Amino acid sequence: MHNSLLEISSLTTFTNNSINLTEVNFSLEKSQIHSLIGERGVGKSVFVNCLLGKEKKFVGSIKYKGEEVSEILDDINRKKINFLIKEPMLADGLKVYENLFLIKDDNQSLFQRINHRALKKKTEEIFRQLNVTIDYRKFVHELTVEEKKVLEIAKLYHYKPDIVVMLEPTESLSKKSREIFFNLIKKLQENGTGIIYVTNKWEEALKVADKISIIYEGKIVEQLPSSEARKNPVKLLQLISGQPVNKHIEDEYELIQQENEDVIDAIFKATEYLTSNYELNDVLMMVCKYSSKIMNASSSSVYLIDDSTHTVMDFISHEKKKDYFSQLKTNVVMEIMKKDKPFYSSSAELDFDKKFKQNKKIKSILCYPILIRSNKTALIVASYDVIFSYEEKHLKYLKTLSKQAAIAIDNTRLLGKSTLLQETHHRIKNNLQTITSLIIMQKNNYKKTHNQNFDELIEDIVSRIKSIAVIHDLLSKDVEGRSIVNTKELINALLSFYVINGQPEIQLDLEDIFIPYNKTTSVSLIINELLNNCTKHAFKDIENGIIEISCKEIKEELTIKVSDNGKGLPEDFKLADLKSLGLFFVNSIVKYDFKGKFEIYNNNGTTAIIRIPREKLLLSKA
């Protein structure tokens, strides 16, 4: 047992507000990476809190190098046991280089004999070795979420502790930072450090772990070498999801492996890719590609759902066979999602073709819902150019893929939440640059024409700033951190600036259409300009002003129509000869940013129509 670093025996907790651990046994040896894997909410955080000393209500034994430490867990850092968890264990009021060395020795007070010059030099050397580009002179509170985690990784590299406990260590990390992290894992292991790797990303754990423990509902349901888990991902997935493992699983797996080696490989590789922190469009496309492959489908599609509005937010498809393609109607997608179970349909049914918005050569479909914590999230559809007779194994494949896709989609949302603050700084900077450009254009136009009084000029500037500010307000209210905006909510928010005491009267015909953040500023500006134009010019000497606004998807285009019953345009008005700076903005953004079309004409008042190709606003193209 001379290599034993940690021995946990019969660990049982008694917590009122979370799941309890029951008779958990866990061990860690020198230079070993032992991964504890399981879905969210099964007890992983409770396990880590016990080691942190946060969880007081437990029984059982925790031994470090043979010495009982169950009663002195608060002093565990003195034993060279460090943690990499979600909440940064850093001092915000100190600088980066000071935090790097902020661990109290048993024989030395925290700030005794600090040589700042030497610390800075040492920090530069550590950062160089790890390829870290953080400015070590910054205060920690100035760092992004990702930079703080990278700093903690650098601390581990410097102190080389006996044991590191990691909880979801790659969360919030970019590709470059993950490379730094996995490089650190190797260096620590070579140094003899034992690592407890706690995660729901089982594929990630398989890459690095020597031993795997699967936890489900507070219990360790199985421990096995990672080599065995790699050979048998079917068994591993069943254990993780709490499904009963067939006692003949080994024989079954051998049979499946012989008959469908490429299918199992596709599932494994697909889920390995999907559960990393990729962008949403990567996730959706990988679902489509691997669904086509493992299901041997002509094409596959994913419909991304907004459960709160019962709307399809985005649709993405992969054609394994060229020109074999289908797209279900939105109401059909939502009906399938309501049933919350696999759905099959074929051309043998009389109403088969009525289910589709588009259908090219597809004769049968097999659908599987993707759920996240019981919320309807997406729908996977495998499409075939023949009447496909599916078997139980096909449902198992789709279920496996949908489960991993759910984790991946959820990860993108969690990443959005965890990085929202740092992204907001970047967004606001870009929007401030936009505002500055608008003000400069307004000033130059004012100098040239002098056709606007100063109060109106300021009001126009303020309205444009408000149209951008409203986007941040909407994003801040999105509990899922998705960085997307519903155009219906956007238009209603903009109207609040213009409607006073019920005037003018507003008539709305709006669909739930979701667009990514990086397109929202432009859309908000053009809608704002049209509303501003109506309220400023259309209703002079008219008491009962009416504005009609529609926003719909028509023939693969986002179509925005704003009409009023006002006095109309001047007789000599020509769009090609614009004198209005606001309409110039609209025309320029629609034409050059979106490759769309803008037209405005008299029609018992004024009617403005904007048509933007749907492909320019797709979430998956963002």
Side-chain angles (χ1 to χ4, degrees):
M1 295 289 291
H2 64 282
N3 279 332
S4 177
L5 291 175
L6 197 69
E7 288 286 335
I8 299 173
S9 304
S10 302
L11 184 64
T12 302
T13 62
F14 308 95
T15 306
N16 295 326
N17 58 358
S18 66
I19 193 166
N20 284 315
L21 303 180
T22 305
E23 296 288 328
V24 168
N25 297 309
F26 192 94
S27 63
L28 182 70
E29 297 183 1
K30 189 176 181 181
S31 297
Q32 182 186 53
I33 301 177
H34 188 165
S35 182
L36 181 67
I37 63 176
E39 296 179 329
R40 289 190 176 88
V42 296
K44 301 191 304 296
S45 296
V46 180
F47 176 84
V48 172
N49 283 338
C50 286
L51 298 181
L52 273 168
K54 290 183 178 181
E55 184 58 62
K56 305 294 183 183
K57 297 179 181 179
F58 72 86
V59 295
S61 172
I62 302 176
K63 292 182 179 180
Y64 167 73
K65 290 186 175 180
E67 180 183 350
E68 184 73 40
V69 294
S70 304
E71 301 299 322
I72 54 171
L73 284 170
D74 288 338
D75 297 327
I76 205 163
N77 274 337
R78 293 185 181 181
K79 304 285 188 180
K80 295 278 283 183
I81 302 179
N82 289 177
F83 294 83
L84 184 64
I85 57 177
K86 293 182 180 180
E87 301 81 19
M89 301 176 74
L90 301 168
D92 280 353
L94 295 179
K95 293 186 176 181
V96 168
Y97 74 89
E98 293 170 323
N99 269 272
L100 187 60
F101 302 94
L102 187 60
I103 290 184
K104 183 177 178 180
D105 274 331
D106 290 336
N107 302 320
Q108 184 176 337
S109 63
L110 183 61
F111 291 108
Q112 185 177 353
R113 298 191 303 275
I114 286 184
N115 183 333
H116 287 272
R117 181 178 294 179
L119 293 187
K120 290 176 183 177
K121 187 174 181 181
K122 182 64 175 175
T123 300
E124 281 185 308
E125 175 61 20
I126 292 171
F127 281 8
R128 185 189 64 77
Q129 292 174 12
L130 290 176
N131 198 26
V132 172
T133 57
I134 299 172
D135 184 351
Y136 64 83
R137 295 162 297 188
K138 280 186 175 181
F139 284 97
V140 165
H141 66 78
E142 297 178 285
L143 302 182
T144 65
V145 173
E146 180 177 1
E147 287 173 333
K148 288 180 180 179
K149 181 165 271 190
V150 172
L151 175 56
E152 290 191 289
I153 290 170
K155 285 184 69 170
L156 295 175
Y157 175 74
H158 171 63
Y159 280 97
K160 297 179 176 63
D162 290 337
I163 296 173
V164 179
V165 182
M166 301 177 169
L167 177 60
E168 302 299 351
T170 62
E171 197 168 281
S172 304
L173 293 183
S174 64
K175 182 179 179 181
K176 179 183 176 182
S177 297
R178 287 199 299 272
E179 289 174 358
I180 293 172
F181 168 72
F182 287 117
N183 183 42
L184 168 74
I185 289 274
K186 292 179 183 178
K187 291 180 182 293
L188 289 175
Q189 195 173 19
E190 290 168 0
N191 190 60
T193 297
I195 297 170
I196 301 176
Y197 198 105
V198 184
T199 184
N200 59 37
K201 302 182 181 71
W202 62 267
E203 310 79 15
E204 192 174 270
L206 288 184
K207 290 179 181 178
V208 297
D210 304 301
K211 186 177 181 180
I212 299 287
S213 288
I214 300 99
I215 185 169
Y216 184 76
E217 293 187 348
K219 298 178 181 179
I220 301 291
V221 294
E222 185 134 358
Q223 293 184 335
L224 61 162
S226 57
S227 57
E228 182 181 339
R230 290 188 192 101
K231 290 178 182 177
N232 197 342
V234 175
K235 178 181 178 181
L236 183 64
L237 286 170
Q238 288 179 320
L239 290 167
I240 291 171
S241 60
Q243 298 177 32
V245 178
N246 192 313
K247 62 182 180 180
H248 302 301
I249 189 68
E250 299 296 336
D251 295 335
E252 289 184 8
Y253 179 72
E254 288 298 325
L255 180 62
I256 293 172
Q257 193 174 40
Q258 291 169 14
E259 295 180 351
N260 297 297
E261 184 93 33
D262 59 330
V263 175
I264 298 301
D265 183 60
I267 293 174
F268 186 76
K269 288 182 179 178
T271 49
E272 178 182 344
Y273 186 95
L274 285 169
T275 49
S276 299
N277 288 328
Y278 287 90
E279 296 295 332
L280 186 57
N281 57 309
D282 295 323
V283 173
L284 296 177
M285 182 52 75
M286 287 303 297
V287 170
C288 290
K289 286 182 178 179
Y290 281 100
S291 175
S292 294
K293 183 172 184 178
I294 68 174
M295 299 295 292
N296 196 26
S298 304
S299 65
S300 292
S301 311
V302 172
Y303 299 78
L304 188 63
I305 308 299
D306 182 69
D307 198 19
S308 62
T309 58
H310 308 292
T311 304
V312 175
M313 293 193 298
D314 201 5
F315 166 76
I316 191 166
S317 178
H318 170 71
E319 298 174 24
K320 186 179 176 184
K321 296 176 72 173
K322 190 176 180 182
D323 296 327
Y324 286 79
F325 169 85
S326 67
Q327 183 178 2
L328 291 165
K329 293 177 179 177
T330 297
N331 64 311
V332 174
V333 173
M334 299 315 300
E335 281 299 316
I336 295 171
M337 294 300 293
K338 273 185 191 177
K339 294 175 183 177
D340 191 16
K341 61 183 181 180
F343 174 83
Y344 171 82
S345 183
S346 76
S347 57
E349 302 166 12
L350 292 176
D351 64 343
F352 180 72
D353 287 332
K354 294 179 180 178
K355 292 180 171 71
F356 297 93
K357 187 175 181 180
Q358 299 180 67
N359 187 4
K360 297 180 181 178
K361 304 179 183 178
I362 296 302
K363 294 184 179 179
S364 59
I365 56 171
L366 181 61
C367 312
Y368 207 98
I370 298 175
L371 305 180
I372 296 178
R373 294 181 290 277
S374 299
N375 292 325
K376 299 172 179 64
T377 302
L379 182 71
I380 302 177
V381 180
S383 304
Y384 299 86
D385 61 337
V386 296
I387 297 181
F388 173 68
S389 179
Y390 70 90
E391 302 173 24
E392 185 63 27
K393 68 178 182 180
H394 295 109
L395 293 180
K396 288 182 179 179
Y397 296 154
L398 273 184
K399 183 177 181 180
T400 300
L401 191 56
S402 70
K403 201 171 192 68
Q404 298 309 310
I407 294 172
I409 293 170
D410 199 26
N411 282 347
T412 65
R413 293 177 179 176
L414 289 172
L415 183 62
K417 290 177 185 178
S418 64
T419 60
L420 184 58
L421 285 176
Q422 69 187 80
E423 287 180 359
T424 297
H425 290 307
H426 180 68
R427 293 169 175 177
I428 291 174
K429 181 196 76 172
N430 288 345
N431 281 337
L432 285 173
Q433 290 173 343
T434 300
I435 291 167
T436 301
S437 299
L438 290 173
I439 292 173
I440 292 171
M441 290 177 69
Q442 190 93 37
K443 182 187 74 171
N444 292 339
N445 186 65
Y446 177 75
K447 283 182 177 181
K448 289 178 181 178
T449 63
H450 290 287
N451 62 354
Q452 186 178 28
N453 68 48
F454 190 73
D455 287 343
E456 286 183 342
L457 183 145
I458 295 299
E459 286 174 5
D460 283 352
I461 292 172
V462 169
S463 76
R464 287 163 189 150
I465 294 173
K466 284 182 176 179
S467 73
I468 294 175
V470 75
I471 299 167
H472 294 281
D473 183 51
L474 291 174
L475 288 173
S476 70
K477 294 173 182 176
D478 182 7
V479 295
E480 296 194 16
R482 297 172 299 185
S483 293
I484 58 175
V485 173
N486 188 339
T487 54
K488 181 187 285 188
E489 294 179 355
L490 176 63
I491 290 171
N492 279 306
L494 291 172
L495 281 170
S496 66
F497 302 143
Y498 294 102
V499 179
I500 301 173
N501 297 325
Q503 292 297 322
E505 179 186 338
I506 305 295
Q507 298 177 359
L508 298 175
D509 184 10
L510 309 176
E511 293 179 353
D512 291 294
I513 299 173
F514 295 82
I515 55 177
Y517 168 79
N518 60 350
K519 310 293 176 64
T520 309
T521 298
S522 297
V523 172
S524 184
L525 279 170
I526 60 180
I527 295 173
N528 180 72
E529 292 302 332
L530 295 180
L531 292 175
N532 190 38
N533 201 56
C534 286
T535 54
K536 278 176 61 178
H537 304 298
F539 304 125
K540 289 181 179 178
D541 303 322
I542 295 177
E543 292 184 5
N544 299 314
I546 300 174
I547 299 177
E548 297 178 13
I549 306 172
S550 70
C551 182
K552 298 182 175 184
E553 185 179 327
I554 302 173
K555 295 181 179 179
E556 297 297 313
E557 292 180 329
L558 173 66
T559 303
I560 302 168
K561 182 178 179 181
V562 179
S563 302
D564 64 63
N565 65 341
K567 65 179 186 177
L569 297 166
E571 291 183 6
D572 61 346
F573 177 84
K574 291 181 181 179
L575 188 58
D577 188 25
L578 281 174
K579 295 179 182 178
S580 164
L581 185 60
L583 293 180
F584 174 79
F585 286 155
V586 174
N587 191 50
S588 297
I589 291 171
V590 172
K591 184 177 180 181
Y592 298 108
D593 288 5
F594 293 128
K595 309 301 180 188
K597 296 177 182 178
F598 172 52
E599 56 182 310
I600 184 168
Y601 52 86
N602 283 316
N603 182 25
N604 297 321
T606 304
T607 296
I609 300 179
I610 294 166
R611 293 185 177 89
I612 299 173
R614 182 179 182 273
E615 63 179 15
K616 297 296 181 182
L617 294 170
L618 285 176
L619 297 178
S620 51
K621 299 272 185 175

